[in-house]
Amino acid sequence: MSAERLPTDWKSDAMRKRIARRYAAERRFKAAGMAAVLLSAAFLAFLLFTMVGNGMRGFTRTEIALKVDFPASPLLLDPANITDEALANANLPMVTSTVAQKALGKDADAMISPSAWTSIRDAIKADPKILARTETIDIPAATAIDLAAKSKGSPEAEAQVARLRQAGLLATGINWGFLTASDGTDPTQVGIWGAFKGSLLTMLVTLVLSFPIGVATALYLEEYARKSWWTDIIEVSINNLAAVPSIIFGLLGLSIFLNLLHLPRSAALVGGMTLALMTMPVIVIAGRNAIKSVPPSIRDAALGIGASPVQVVFQHVLPLALPGILTGTIIGMARALGETAPLLMIGMRAFIATPPGGIVDPATVLPVQIFLWSDEVSKGFVEKTSAAIIVLLAFLLAMNGLAIYLRNKFEKRW
């Protein structure tokens, strides 16, 4: 043979050089991979640090201790008959402003929240006996005072904060109302419970519709449908639907569920049905791949011991494929949880001040609530937006953790 043979002597110089080059290339490849991992982790850490740094302040609220002399105030309330109608006729906003001006000075209206009177109302409803005495009530501070107390504000606001702290009237604590209240116009009083409950109801509708239909479709295509041009068209259509932009599903939900079927606008039912259309192709594709991965010997063994085809599918194939199906469900539900565009198309961007009571009540979801708050003019909504993002990430992690737990539980059976 005329071709020169490669050296095979491990002790030769040429072989040692080749081995050295190979090891050097492997080290460079490992270094490049490690650099890519570190860069990704750095970006993720920067994102989390920014969100947590800005968002943790959204879980706190600055309050002013206001001493209210109820017997001397112009409140005409009977402690034995405290009703919502009586409190509405008591003109609590004017009383709160008057009391604050006496205690804080002429700039009191700029130092307290426009909805500070609700704290006095809630205190009266909790204990009507305070109408006969002087009571110190913590009321939320205005947005400018709140920002100046927690980070940095205008020179005027910082001077007012210093004066309030010197008098011992200012305190910053956990804002539990952020977890129990709904949307509002005052950033010191808004909360995420309404949007969070709307997300729960919407995800519930999405899961109930997309999971059984998606799994049934995957089982039919893999176990029962004969190979033909019709099934080829269905497979291509499902793959294309999985790549369709989400706003297209929003247009589909608008035209079918709202304009044609006249279902309630801005309801969790319509939002869940729209997101189910988007999630179903992902579950079908993942389900088919999971069913294909089940060894044929499982089917043959089950049929050999007398199991019917239906028993083979539901007692042997489906349990083995369930972990892979749950993985696809995790991906689909996580995508649906963060969607905003299709829900905006069906009107779920309404101002919802009351949490929904059911799937047909007006509702919004966390991504849409974050979008709405990020568009507000008041600077107080900036930290609320970051805080809502933290809640959304926690919700996503909890949902994925539950799904992973269920997947691992089914994997241990076999």
Side-chain angles (χ1 to χ4, degrees), residues 64-82:
I64 300 174
L66 192 65
K67 185 176 292 186
V68 183
D69 186 4
F70 285 102
S73 64
L75 284 173
L76 300 177
L77 291 173
D78 182 8
N81 187 26
I82 300 298

Side-chain angles (χ1 to χ4, degrees), residues 283-368:
I283 297 178
V284 172
I285 294 173
R288 294 189 63 190
N289 292 331
I291 294 171
K292 285 180 182 178
S293 65
V294 177
S297 57
I298 298 293
R299 299 174 176 84
D300 297 338
L303 292 173
I305 61 175
S308 67
V310 175
Q311 289 175 326
V312 171
V313 170
F314 287 96
Q315 296 181 9
H316 300 276
V317 176
L318 184 58
L320 282 173
L322 196 56
I325 295 174
L326 289 176
T327 301
T329 304
I330 293 171
I331 297 173
M333 294 297 292
R335 179 189 175 191
L337 179 61
E339 284 296 337
T340 303
L343 300 181
L344 292 177
M345 295 302 300
I346 60 172
M348 291 192 75
R349 60 165 298 164
F351 179 81
I352 307 297
T354 304
I359 60 175
V360 296
D361 294 335
T364 188
V365 292
L366 281 172
V368 177

Side-chain angles (χ1 to χ4, degrees), residues 133 136 176 220 242 334 337 405:
R133 63 177 186 268
T136 299
W176 296 108
Y220 173 77
L337 179 61
Y405 167 76

Side-chain angles (χ1 to χ4, degrees), residues 76-78 81-91:
L76 300 177
L77 291 173
D78 182 8
N81 187 26
I82 300 298
T83 62
D84 292 338
E85 183 179 359
L87 291 172
N89 295 330
N91 199 7

Side-chain angles (χ1 to χ4, degrees), residues 29-75:
F29 180 77
K30 290 173 64 177
M34 182 61 67
V37 172
L38 292 176
L39 183 62
S40 301
F43 279 117
L44 179 60
F46 176 76
L47 174 64
L48 293 178
F49 179 79
T50 303
M51 288 295 100
V52 172
N54 294 330
M56 292 307 295
R57 292 196 297 266
F59 293 98
T60 62
R61 184 174 69 178
T62 303
E63 296 178 339
I64 300 174
L66 192 65
K67 185 176 292 186
V68 183
D69 186 4
F70 285 102
S73 64
L75 284 173

Side-chain angles (χ1 to χ4, degrees), residues 269-287:
L269 175 63
V270 179
M273 294 171 69
T274 303
L275 295 180
L277 294 176
M278 185 184 69
T279 307
M280 207 177 304
V282 179
I283 297 178
V284 172
I285 294 173

Side-chain angles (χ1 to χ4, degrees), residues 209-225 234-235 238 280-281 283-285 287-288 291:
L209 292 177
S210 63
F211 185 75
I213 297 177
V215 174
T217 303
L219 284 174
Y220 173 77
L221 291 176
E222 288 299 321
E223 298 294 329
Y224 297 103
I234 293 176
E235 291 177 6
I238 292 174
M280 207 177 304
I283 297 178
V284 172
I285 294 173
R288 294 189 63 190
I291 294 171

